[in-house]
Amino acid sequence: MKSFAPHAIFFDLDGTLVDSVPDLAEAARRMLAELGEPTRTDAEVATFVGKGIPMMVERALTVGRGPVSAERLAQAIPVFMRHYEATNGKLTRAYPGVAETLPVLKARGLKLGVVTNKAEAFIAPLLDELGLGGFFDVLIGGDTLAQKKPEPEPLWHACEQVGVSREAVLMVGDSGNDALCARRAGIPVLLMTYGYNEGVPVDTEDCDGLLSSFTELPALLA
C-alpha cells in the first residue's frame, strides 16, 4: 500500500473510531416499542447505519416491512433522538487501537477531525464519554451543513476549519459512503475492514487502501 503525507486526517465516527451499534440499536428498539412497531436486532441496525439518523430511522421502520408515510417518519425521528440521547455512550466502545493511536498521530503534529453523518449534538458527548474528545480539532456532523456525506462539502468545511488545504488531507472511514465523499472531495481515503458499510463488503469499494486494525495507520504516513 502506498504511503501518505497529510497535514490533517479526518475520521468517520461510527464503524471507524467507535462501535456504536449497541447504543443505536437500543435507542431504535425503544423507539419502535413506543411507536408500537416490531423490534430490531443489533445485526439489523448495523446495516442501517451510515447515512444519518433520518435514514437509519426510516430503515428501522421499513426494511422488510413496507413503506411508511412521511408523517410517520417525521413522528419517529424525534422519538429516536430522545431515546438515543439517553443511550449514547452507554455501550459504545472505541475500537481496539484507537485510544493508543490517536496520541501518536497528534504527537506528529497532525490536525485531526471527525466528519460523520451522526447528528452534531451527539458527537462531542460520545467522544468525551470515551475519553477521546481532546484529540480532535474539528467535529463535523450530518446536520452541521445543509449537505452531508457522500457530498464533499463536509470534508471541505473541515479543511477550512483546521486551515489545511484539500491536497494535504487524508480521510479514514469504513464505508462506501465515506469513500464516495472523499472521491468527490478530491481527497485520498482509507477504509477500515471492521466497520458497518450497510451490509456491503468493504473490499468492493473504490478506495486507496484497506486497514484491518487502527494501529496500522501510522506506518502508512510518510
Side-chain angles (χ1 to χ4, degrees):
M1 193 185 305
K2 64 182 180 181
S3 64
F4 304 86
H7 296 163
I9 305 177
F10 300 134
F11 299 94
D12 176 51
L13 183 56
D14 303 288
T16 300
L17 295 173
V18 303
D19 180 9
S20 54
V21 161
D23 289 337
L24 291 166
E26 180 58 25
R29 283 189 286 269
R30 294 182 188 184
M31 172 197 74
L32 293 167
E34 183 172 326
L35 297 174
E37 298 284 349
T39 193
R40 292 288 193 180
T41 66
D42 282 21
E44 286 178 299
V45 173
T47 68
F48 302 158
V49 176
K51 296 286 197 334
I53 285 175
M55 178 61 75
M56 200 199 80
V57 169
E58 181 176 354
R59 288 168 169 171
L61 289 170
T62 63
V63 170
R65 298 177 181 178
V68 295
S69 67
E71 293 76 17
R72 181 65 162 170
L73 180 59
Q75 174 195 18
I77 290 171
V79 175
F80 175 85
M81 298 277 278
R82 172 163 46 81
H83 288 301
Y84 189 48
E85 186 175 2
T87 65
N88 185 32
K90 298 298 185 290
L91 297 174
T92 294
R93 296 292 179 264
Y95 283 109
V98 169
E100 296 81 8
T101 303
L102 289 175
V104 173
L105 300 177
K106 289 299 288 185
R108 295 191 182 188
L110 292 163
K111 297 287 189 180
L112 303 181
V114 171
V115 179
T116 172
N117 279 346
K118 186 188 290 293
E120 188 176 323
F122 297 117
I123 304 171
L126 175 57
L127 292 172
D128 290 343
E129 179 78 16
L130 298 175
L132 302 177
F135 294 114
F136 297 103
D137 301 286
V138 63
L139 305 175
I140 307 295
D143 53 358
T144 301
L145 305 174
Q147 304 85 6
K148 59 187 173 187
K149 298 183 298 185
E151 298 307 316
E153 283 83 1
L155 274 180
W156 290 340
H157 184 61
C159 293
E160 293 168 3
Q161 292 299 299
V162 300
V164 174
S165 70
R166 301 172 190 176
E167 294 75 26
V169 172
L170 175 66
M171 174 71 186
V172 179
D174 70 305
S175 71
N177 203 48
D178 297 317
L180 182 56
C181 175
R183 284 287 182 258
R184 289 175 172 175
I187 290 170
V189 57
L190 300 174
L191 297 181
M192 311 306 304
T193 59
Y194 53 62
Y196 309 141
N197 201 30
E198 303 173 83
V200 178
V202 72
D203 60 4
T204 65
E205 303 294 351
D206 174 25
C207 66
D208 296 290
L210 297 172
L211 301 177
S212 60
S213 169
F214 203 84
T215 58
E216 297 172 7
L217 181 57
L220 298 180
L221 305 180

